Amino acid sequence: MTISAIGDSTSNSTVNADRLWRDLMALADFTEPDRPYTRRSFSCCFLEGRAWIENRFREAGMSVSYDTAANLIGRLEGSEPNLPPIAIGSHSDTVPSGGRFDGILGVLAGLEVIRTLRERNIHTRHPIEIIDFLAEEPSEYGLSCVGSRALSGHLLEHFLPFENSQGETLGQAIARSGGQPDKLFLARRSDLAAFLELHIEQGRVLESSGTDLGIVSSIVGIVRLEIEFLGAADHAGATPFDLRRDALVAAASTISSVRSSGEQFAAAGRGYFIATTGAIQVEPNAANVVPRLARLIVEARAEDAAQLSEFVATIDKASLHAATTAKVERAVFRQLSDSLPAYCDQRLRDHMRMAASDLGLTTLSMASGAGHDSSFVAQVAPIAMVFVPSREGRSHCPEEWTPAQQCANGAAILLETLLRVDADQAFNQSRQKQTQSKELQ
Ligand SMILES: [Zn+2]
């Protein structure tokens, strides 16, 4: 079912672009005043911002609740109460000195979808939920995607004692934000018919190609490695090359391997692959001393999970070789974290593409190089994700910008896709069978 464009000042939109824009700017006011736009999860600004969202959800006719992981959920009932909900969501927290759109657009566009449905007196068969996931960005407690981990059953108990610099635990912070950390298992969902996320691209592919929307094929998996080399600190003037045990030389060679083998992996034709050495620590870090210690953090992101393990094995070998050549010890080779790639559902992607075509919007199929709440949700429900352009690809900074009409395009695609999924009996029947067979297992 397609809703034709309404005659407001903004062309080509089925939603109210001005109203969505006003919401985006209003929520941006909930920031640390001296450091726009900072609304870190669990902070006062964040909780005040959420109270504001909660009120907008209620005004739009939704019932509001917090699950045990303190995800904020607005719900509009459907005409067939037994059907599983279709969910739309993202996150309302920001990084320090972040932007006004990352995550926030996905939540507020969901709100705009609900308002539009109500205004037009459209009753969906399925209940609709708008989810503001808790703490998608790295939190003070050293964990990101807290809420979506919980929803997919991956917020493990051993994360709860993680502390921030004031000694508050993650569990206490979740409780303070409206959750019940001792009952996290209740936050796990297996009942969602589908999950849709709108997000800004945070890159420049859409802008540089002049495309309206990016329909995400998959969200990369991420692996982070810590590698440490130990040599000896000697006088930089008095120690000849053949007697040196220079940890930084081994690190430098490893950095080169990360880049060169990364390029080979990227060219292998197995989907998106990228690798970075983004952090280095050197001791004693003095001009006249041979470096005794060098520590690297290496990160790789890929659509193909097998490629990630192959890359880890390649860097394992390369760093050992680098250590031997530099006559140092490779003291640490440790996987700090990993997350699996997530695949967007083909049928949902088709619905999104057709919805875009009905709206006269151009699309591009692309992988997401950034992690999102959807990555976790994909483990318990079929997901689809759509990007709108980011000006100059800027994100996680105050300059982050997506014009009002492009934000509205994103909300319109959510609405159209939602209506298509709501009407797709075959999709829903196969989804129900899947859920039932999982319940029996
Ligand atoms: Zn985000």
Side-chain angles (χ1 to χ4, degrees):
M1 168 179 190
T2 302
I3 305 178
S4 54
I6 52 167
D8 62 17
S9 57
T10 52
S11 63
N12 190 5
S13 179
T14 63
V15 298
N16 187 328
D18 295 337
R19 185 169 55 190
L20 173 58
W21 188 256
R22 279 197 302 275
D23 282 345
L24 285 163
M25 294 307 118
L27 190 54
D29 285 342
F30 294 89
T31 173
E32 288 180 21
D34 306 334
R35 205 163 50 140
Y37 297 92
T38 304
R39 193 170 53 252
R40 295 201 74 187
S41 50
F42 307 105
S43 67
C44 289
C45 293
F46 171 75
L47 295 173
E48 284 164 19
R50 269 197 148 182
W52 181 88
I53 297 173
E54 217 184 293
N55 286 333
R56 301 293 84 73
F57 278 6
R58 284 212 178 83
E59 278 170 13
M62 285 185 269
S63 59
V64 172
S65 62
Y66 285 84
D67 68 11
T68 55
N71 291 312
L72 165 60
I73 302 173
R75 183 174 163 114
L76 187 69
E77 294 306 328
S79 60
E80 295 180 34
N82 294 330
L83 288 182
I86 300 172
I88 292 175
S90 200
H91 59 97
S92 67
D93 63 322
T94 73
V95 296
S97 301
R100 288 166 279 186
F101 302 89
D102 172 359
I104 299 145
L105 175 61
V107 176
L108 295 180
L111 166 65
E112 184 53 33
V113 164
I114 297 292
R115 286 168 168 163
T116 308
L117 286 173
R118 304 254 315 175
E119 274 170 5
R120 302 208 188 159
N121 219 4
I122 298 168
H123 299 280
T124 57
R125 296 165 53 236
H126 295 74
I128 313 295
E129 291 188 9
I130 312 299
I131 308 179
D132 173 20
F133 286 106
L134 182 71
E136 192 269 350
E137 305 289 2
S139 66
E140 287 185 350
Y141 307 82
L143 196 69
S144 60
C145 293
V146 173
S148 48
R149 276 176 206 270
L151 185 128
S152 61
H154 290 83
L155 186 61
L156 307 174
E157 248 169 46
H158 72 257
F159 292 135
L160 294 177
F162 286 11
E163 285 183 1
N164 70 357
S165 55
Q166 276 90 53
E168 185 186 41
T169 67
L170 177 62
Q172 288 165 338
I174 290 174
R176 182 165 62 72
S177 308
Q180 294 172 265
D182 51 333
K183 292 185 184 151
L184 280 180
F185 62 96
L186 292 174
R188 190 180 190 282
R189 302 285 294 266
S190 54
D191 63 328
L192 298 179
F195 178 76
L196 309 174
E197 182 170 7
L198 163 66
H199 206 278
I200 55 166
E201 184 201 344
Q202 305 177 282
R204 54 188 77 184
V205 173
L206 292 175
E207 186 184 61
S208 58
S209 62
T211 312
D212 296 315
L213 301 166
I215 296 181
V216 175
S217 51
S218 57
I219 305 165
V220 293
I222 306 176
V223 155
R224 291 202 182 102
L225 297 172
E226 179 187 12
I227 310 172
E228 189 179 293
F229 298 100
L230 266 183
D234 286 307
H235 195 290
T239 316
F241 285 127
D242 61 338
L243 294 182
R244 287 185 183 205
R245 299 177 57 221
D246 187 332
L248 190 52
V249 167
S253 157
T254 304
I255 294 171
S256 293
S257 301
V258 167
R259 175 62 183 248
S260 57
S261 47
E263 284 179 356
Q264 281 169 20
F265 276 82
R270 290 164 64 185
Y272 187 79
F273 186 95
I274 201 83
T276 310
T277 308
I280 181 165
Q281 192 188 345
V282 181
E283 286 175 17
N285 203 21
N288 58 355
V289 187
V290 174
R292 181 187 70 83
L293 176 145
R295 183 183 294 124
L296 304 175
I297 308 285
V298 173
E299 182 196 271
R301 298 175 181 233
E303 280 184 277
D304 179 345
Q307 247 195 340
L308 286 175
S309 341
E310 290 163 29
F311 180 76
V312 171
T314 304
I315 299 308
D316 184 12
K317 224 165 137 187
S319 56
L320 270 179
H321 179 71
T324 311
T325 311
K327 297 185 208 141
V328 302
E329 180 196 349
R330 194 192 69 181
V332 176
F333 185 88
R334 192 159 67 99
Q335 202 155 313
L336 294 178
S337 63
D338 69 334
S339 66
L340 290 172
Y343 302 97
C344 295
D345 183 86
Q346 187 58 51
R347 189 145 177 140
L348 294 179
R349 283 166 62 191
D350 290 344
H351 279 310
M352 237 171 208
R353 212 176 34 248
M354 288 186 284
S357 141
D358 283 348
L359 290 164
L361 299 170
T362 53
T363 59
L364 202 68
S365 173
M366 61 196 294
S368 169
H372 295 289
D373 289 311
S374 284
S375 317
F376 283 98
V377 182
Q379 304 191 29
V380 290
I383 61 153
M385 192 163 187
V386 60
F387 287 156
V388 288
S390 296
R391 189 169 71 189
E392 291 171 7
R394 305 290 303 277
S395 184
H396 285 185
C397 58
E399 292 78 21
E400 188 175 272
W401 186 259
T402 301
Q405 184 55 50
Q406 291 179 354
C407 293
N409 287 346
I413 200 80
L414 284 181
L415 172 59
E416 291 288 342
T417 307
L418 172 82
L419 293 173
R420 283 174 167 276
V421 176
D422 185 53
D424 185 345
Q425 307 259 15
F427 173 81
N428 288 300
Q429 275 159 10
S430 76
R431 173 69 186 139
Q432 266 165 338
K433 271 190 204 135
Q434 264 177 19
T435 339
Q436 280 158 2
S437 70
K438 274 200 184 127
E439 274 163 11
L440 288 175
Q441 278 166 15

